[in-house]
Amino acid sequence: MTAVNNSVRNTARLIGAGLRALLVLTVICGVIYPLVVTGVAQAAFPGRANGSEVSSHGKVVGSSLIGQRYDKGKDKNGNPVPDLKFFQPRPSAGLGSNRANGINTQYDLQVSGASNLGATNTDLIKAVKERKQWVSETYGVPGSKVPADAVTSSGSGLDPDISPAYAQLQADRVAKENHLPGSTVRQLVTRHTDTRILGFMGEPRVNVLELNIALKDLVEGRAGA
């Protein structure tokens, strides 16, 4: 009987110790730690902690980390029709068109990720050829001048940036659509071109959302002048 009582007491102590440990770890790891990390992030990096939001005239219009489409509706087959008044992002199945006028104010994301199609996949080859033809015809450049990011999506499908080459390629058509001098729009692209991080990491890039915000401000400023 004594052995049974000792066994019960030992079991009870183990259960009690386990519950106390669970409570303490829950408070430390589930309450205190997240609050401390959140507080430090908000104090030191508030912009990044809140999603790297981008604002225009006091209104949040997107994130600098996630690409957006710029469409003006859909064709008879239900495919989005790019609004050529704005610079276009990389192709992506993960970027849905926002249904607001002007600068995008919401996301309509459907999927994120790469297609996992190999370089010899016939569907990928067909898609790339179709995209290259569209870019060539739309912006009036030979196919040999179309950069790779104009016809291929990023690994995540949500890349917010395009290459300076693709941005400059679009500049004259964007200028024409907005009744602006081509040189003015090309200079706008140059001003919004970011160099390699620390001078050696990554590639020069242009954030499409930030560029389009600057473009819209330029157009509205001239209209109000």
Side-chain angles (χ1 to χ4, degrees), residues 15-222:
I15 293 175
L19 290 175
R20 287 194 296 274
L22 175 63
L23 178 61
V24 171
L25 290 173
T26 298
V27 172
I28 293 175
C29 299
V31 179
I32 296 177
Y33 177 74
L35 288 176
V36 170
V37 172
T38 300
V40 171
Q42 289 291 341
F45 313 102
R48 295 181 180 180
N50 292 319
S52 299
E53 296 175 336
V54 177
S55 298
S56 177
H57 302 291
K59 183 177 183 180
V60 175
V61 295
S63 169
S64 64
L65 303 178
I66 302 178
Q68 301 185 30
R69 291 185 60 96
Y70 296 85
D71 301 326
K72 60 180 180 180
K74 294 184 177 180
D75 61 20
K76 60 182 180 182
N77 297 318
N79 298 314
V81 178
D83 188 347
L84 299 179
K85 288 184 177 181
F86 294 101
F87 287 90
Q88 297 300 311
R90 296 183 67 169
S92 175
L95 299 182
S97 172
N98 115 9
R99 290 171 291 277
N101 293 324
I103 294 297
N104 285 315
T105 58
Q106 64 181 0
Y107 295 115
D108 186 17
L109 302 181
Q110 300 166 339
V111 295
S112 170
S115 64
N116 290 327
L117 299 178
T120 59
N121 183 276
T122 54
D123 291 336
L124 178 60
I125 293 173
K126 178 182 177 183
V128 168
K129 287 182 178 179
E130 290 175 348
R131 293 166 184 166
K132 179 178 286 189
Q133 181 179 0
W134 181 85
V135 172
S136 177
E137 293 177 351
T138 300
Y139 297 107
V141 296
S144 59
K145 296 292 185 180
V146 177
D149 61 306
V151 296
T152 57
S153 65
S154 62
S156 68
L158 307 178
D159 193 347
D161 304 320
I162 57 176
S163 66
Y166 188 28
Q168 292 289 2
L169 181 151
Q170 300 182 57
D172 285 341
R173 179 61 186 264
V174 170
K176 180 180 179 181
E177 294 289 332
N178 288 286
H179 308 292
L180 294 171
S183 59
T184 299
V185 178
R186 287 193 293 274
Q187 291 172 6
L188 193 68
V189 172
T190 300
R191 289 199 298 271
H192 284 81
T193 298
D194 296 321
T195 58
R196 291 180 173 88
I197 300 173
L198 299 179
F200 67 93
M201 291 191 295
E203 295 292 333
R205 62 207 179 279
V206 179
N207 187 283
V208 181
L209 173 59
E210 294 174 356
L211 177 60
N212 278 332
I213 290 174
L215 172 67
K216 190 168 186 285
D217 288 344
L218 176 62
V219 172
E220 292 178 349
R222 286 180 170 252

